[in-house]
Amino acid sequence: MKRTVPLLISAVTGFILIGTAFIPMFEEWGNDAMAWFNLLAAFAFILGGGNLLKMQLQKISAQQAGWGYAAVTLIAFFVTLFVGLAKVGVHPNAKFPEFSWSGNYLEVGSAFWWFFEYIFTPLSATMFALLAFYISSAAFRAFRAKNTEATILLIIAVIVLLGRTYASEWLTGGFPNEPIFGEGGITYSDFKLDHLSQIIMDDFTTPGMRAIKIGIALGVASTSLKVLLGVDRSYLGSDQEA
Amino acid sequence: MKQSTIIWTLLMVFGGLGLISVQLFRGKGEVYVREVPVEAKSSSKTSPEQTYRWSTYQEVSAKEKDDPGISFSYSRTLGLWVSAFCTLAIFSFLYGDNPLYKFTESVFVGVSAAYAMVVGFWTEIVTNLYAKLLPGMARMSFFPDMESDVQSDLLYLIPLVLSVLLLWRLAPKGNWIARWPLAFFIGATAGIRLISYLETDFIGQLQSTIMPFIVFTADGSLLWIKSLRNTVVIVGVTSCMVYFFFSVEHEGIVKYISRLGIWFLMITFGASFAYTVMGRIALLSARLDFLFNDWLGI
Amino acid sequence: MHLWKNVVIERLMIPLLCFAAGMAQSRADDPPKAKQLAPPTQFRAEDVDGDAGTAIDLFWTLSPDDEEDTKPRKVLRYVISRKQIGGSEEAVVLESGSPFVFEVEEKKPEFEEIGEATYRKDTFRDSNCETGVPYLYRIQAFGPDNAASPTVELKEPIIATLQWFNLQRSWFAVFVFLICGAVIVFIEMARRGKTLKIRKIAGLEAIKDAVGRATEMGRSCLFVPGIQDINDIQTVAGITILAQVAKTTADYRATLEVPTSRSLVMTTARDTVEAAYLQAGRPDEYNEDDIYYITDEQFGYVASVTGKMVRDKPAACFYMGAFYAESLILAETGNSVGAIQVAGTAMPTQLPFFVAACDFTLIGEEFFAASAYLSGEPQQLGSLKGQDFGKLIGGILLLAGCLIMTISAFESRGEPPAEGKETVLQSAQIYLKENILGKGGFKP
């Protein structure tokens, strides 16, 4: 019972939305469902936030290793939440100044904006920037010429990498636009690094990506049907209590 | 205390003191703003008109600091230093886990979790639920610029009910009912994505790949380079698809075709990887630009 | 005579010349008349096929003054106006001084401007029509300095009609039916006991070994179900794989940690892992605090997870779901702590990073096949056969289409295609691309 009703709900909803994709009058139902989902996710913050609080408070109360950092997390969380919900430092809408809550919660100069601009954004950008180091270390490890396949992979990667930089102009910019074999159509300039890089992307990467996407589409169809038909019901949990 | 901890602490303290003194001496790492006064009159037609005054501040370049109306901003200068501190703390993770990174990570988790909740509250619960169900009250509180003829959209009672069912999870009894809204949305996701992926990624990709093996010019002569490229693309897609067959063992002819498919996939991944490298380096240069230009003023 | 002629001419010429000068002067003082442009021709309208009766397409032949190479341009835009036919608009007017007296005015419908198309464009879609209401459209070309063409109107009004079935998607419906039908048929065949052979997938074989290794080393397993919410099918697939991994960790009595980036994913993951532990007969091993929420934000989440990885040093890391740029950060950190890493995603842009940094990667379709494969249930394996059938259809269509286009290219080599007189192969090629794989519907 605990799983039967949700299975029915899931199946009915899914098959109706598959059908509405072909009925113009109901085509927007899918978009409406996803818009409602955003609302559900906003309410679900209560569950997530509650869990975050519980985990950090447990660490503090049990005096586990690193409990001080849990306290820092809680303080940062509550301060940001308070200034954001209370719109601290937010001025009202200039057209309706008598409505003190009418301003934008992320108004420049407000307390919440300060947290976003000087803590959240630089931290996100710096984490993103770490990728420069990680991509270099991954490339160094992955593109070692241990065998024929790895060597070819390395050559391809070097061509594409250099083709995207000024090095292509510097190394191969002087290649003339003259045919190599009479009127055969191939010119010396076809071997410029940026041109080779483009050929690799268009003629090798594109087919690979297309085949992957075709497979993904079929995988999605199969997974969706398994979920809707109740063949795979693991996401629903159990009928019994643990 | 461990030796590494002592070294780190000394590095942080002296490094920090050094930076602060250098900055104070050079006068860099400061933010200046221009005050922009705002005068707003109340829009109410029933009560007497009132005038409200406040100021907003626009950030200006440090070169304008001596201009009239420009003042030093303590909050934004503090913010600049906090940003620089956060940036260096995250970079320190490359060396290894350390107290600075742990502290910053904790702050990041707290601030980002609260940020997501605040955004979710104002953009979804207030704008999309409260304003849709109770537009009159919403107009009197948060959205005075809303059209006065907006009616309640009772369809939004459905997500409200689903949300209440979800939160029943916290109740001591009957928390299994929280599965119903999840089942609704998982079913909706399955149905919607099945259609969208089949249309875009199955049909769409097949349509883009159908091309002739051999291409001729308008006057009938063979364009052998274009023909070769077309053939490579078709062979590439087909061989990769053969690689992904689950119910056929990779033996005999299938083995060779799927091997060719693996080659195409390896080239795909190698080229895609290399294609992204410069983009990631650009991200690093942006952060270094912030540190050296905006903060240190070098 | 000679004298008379001279006197007459002299006496008449001067006033004539003055008159002519005056005329020229008055013309110079008059404002220049707006230049008239040639109007667009063959203006027609069509109801958009397969919609909810809210759109009408307009087509026209460009104004002769709208030439590609003319600089400066004579035609800058085409303004489209619309008038409702047959109805009348009512306006309610409040009589001043008597708030309870209303006067209803009947307005005749006028042409209202509804949009513009730029120069060299010969189509426009009006997407704000009401179903069943007749509309008359008008088009006018405009150029610089108030240059305008005469207006061109439709001869008859047009009505946007509701279609119950989107005929443009007829062939797509066939594909959906075929592929879904194949999956269902093979599931049913498997249910009835037919043995289905599935080849091995290396990454999935490694999961058990990875969990076993973690147990031996006394370290935990980490499962990251992606950073998207439960409304992403990859997250659903990741959760179904989590069920299988949780069964394995329950059997081995290994610790499984699942940090999540979304509250709903945490909720679903908890139910899934709890059920897996129950099924494995180890309900006591289940600890709901091992599945926890961190933050919704991508980099806040990954900062916390990588910090945890460096401190706790899990022996096995599983990344199954939708990832973005943080994929490489996770994989590289896992590498640095010496964990066995198995990744699976359907994000084509992140696959190269997982392939480079992880020990095993489930590429695209393999990721969706994983839960079926790990469960070993015949009916789940049947769905994999259905996927293969879909690939077979796609492959046949692809090769057939390419062959048709190749033979057609040979056939029409050197001959320019005559208007409306395509060969059989050319028609087949067009039908394949525009109808079967396009939005042309069943009708050619």
Side-chain angles (χ1 to χ4, degrees), chain B:
Chain B
M1 215 186 223
K2 280 198 290 191
Q3 195 184 33
S4 61
T5 313
I6 298 170
I7 294 170
W8 267 111
T9 313
L10 286 170
L11 261 172
M12 292 301 129
V13 167
F14 286 113
L17 284 170
L19 270 171
I20 290 168
S21 51
V22 162
Q23 289 298 83
L24 285 173
F25 179 69
R26 290 181 63 194
K28 299 290 177 185
E30 293 168 347
V31 181
Y32 294 88
V33 291
R34 173 184 293 119
E35 186 182 351
V36 179
V38 176
E39 193 175 289
K41 295 195 179 348
S42 61
S43 59
S44 172
K45 287 170 186 148
T46 49
S47 41
E49 192 181 79
Q50 268 187 292
T51 305
Y52 297 82
R53 290 185 183 86
W54 63 81
S55 293
T56 59
Y57 296 89
Q58 278 175 358
E59 196 170 316
V60 297
S61 140
K63 291 177 203 162
E64 296 175 47
K65 67 179 180 183
D66 297 322
D67 291 355
I70 307 296
S71 58
F72 174 78
S73 170
Y74 286 97
S75 65
R76 294 189 195 207
T77 302
L78 174 66
L80 180 67
W81 280 75
V82 166
S83 303
F85 170 82
C86 291
T87 304
L88 292 172
I90 296 291
F91 278 138
S92 71
F93 186 64
L94 293 167
Y95 179 69
D97 196 25
N98 59 81
L100 199 62
Y101 177 79
K102 286 184 205 175
F103 175 80
T104 313
E105 175 205 313
S106 310
V107 168
F108 197 4
V109 168
V111 168
S112 61
Y115 170 80
M117 289 179 201
V118 169
V119 170
F121 177 78
W122 289 114
T123 58
E124 294 297 334
I125 296 176
V126 170
T127 310
N128 271 341
L129 187 68
Y130 175 62
K132 292 265 189 320
L133 286 176
L134 301 165
M137 282 181 66
R139 202 181 313 116
M140 299 307 294
S141 50
F142 304 115
F143 306 106
D145 50 351
M146 195 193 284
E147 299 288 335
S148 53
D149 58 352
V150 171
Q151 303 293 322
S152 289
D153 189 348
L154 294 177
L155 216 54
Y156 275 80
L157 283 173
I158 299 174
L160 179 63
V161 166
L162 290 172
S163 303
V164 169
L165 290 178
L166 178 74
L167 293 176
W168 211 268
R169 193 180 175 83
L170 300 169
K173 273 189 180 173
N175 51 19
W176 47 265
I177 210 165
R179 293 180 192 176
W180 291 13
L182 284 172
F184 177 85
F185 284 109
I186 289 173
T189 298
I192 293 165
R193 303 300 176 212
L194 186 149
I195 294 293
S196 66
Y197 272 88
L198 278 180
E199 191 163 33
T200 321
D201 286 353
F202 183 72
I203 303 291
Q205 298 302 325
L206 285 175
Q207 193 191 40
S208 306
T209 312
I210 290 181
M211 54 184 79
F213 285 98
I214 310 285
V215 183
F216 295 98
T217 59
D219 61 5
S221 51
L222 173 69
L223 278 170
W224 66 274
I225 293 176
K226 182 92 177 105
S227 303
L228 183 65
R229 291 179 74 171
N230 278 10
T231 306
V232 165
V233 169
I234 296 164
V235 165
V237 173
T238 318
S239 58
C240 290
M241 281 170 72
V242 168
Y243 168 75
F244 284 117
F245 265 87
F246 298 116
S247 45
V248 176
E249 283 294 342
H250 289 178
E251 288 164 353
I253 183 92
V254 174
K255 179 182 168 188
Y256 293 106
I257 299 174
S258 65
R259 189 117 186 96
L260 182 63
I262 293 172
W263 271 99
F264 269 93
L265 289 173
M266 284 167 63
I267 294 171
T268 299
F269 295 140
S272 301
F273 192 102
Y275 198 79
T276 327
V277 169
M278 291 319 296
R280 302 293 188 244
I281 306 267
L283 296 167
L284 175 64
S285 75
R287 289 322 291 161
L288 293 175
D289 179 57
F290 162 75
L291 284 175
F292 287 108
N293 213 0
D294 297 340
W295 182 48
L296 293 174
I298 296 170

Side-chain angles (χ1 to χ4, degrees), chain A residues 66-80:
Chain A
W67 67 267
Y69 300 112
V72 169
T73 303
L74 284 182
I75 294 168
F77 176 77
F78 279 118
V79 170
T80 312

Side-chain angles (χ1 to χ4, degrees), chain C residues 274-297:
Chain C
E274 185 185 2
Y277 273 68
L278 270 168
Q279 206 177 358
R282 304 229 200 270
D284 298 332
E285 302 280 330
Y286 171 68
N287 178 9
E288 76 165 14
D289 289 340
D290 285 340
I291 301 132
Y292 51 92
Y293 167 81
I294 298 178
T295 173
D296 267 45
E297 292 307 312

Side-chain angles (χ1 to χ4, degrees), chain A residues 153-172:
Chain A
L153 212 59
L154 173 64
I155 294 169
I156 300 276
V158 166
I159 291 172
V160 172
L161 179 59
L162 292 178
R164 298 251 298 152
T165 63
Y166 186 73
S168 78
E169 186 58 36
W170 184 53
L171 289 168
T172 57

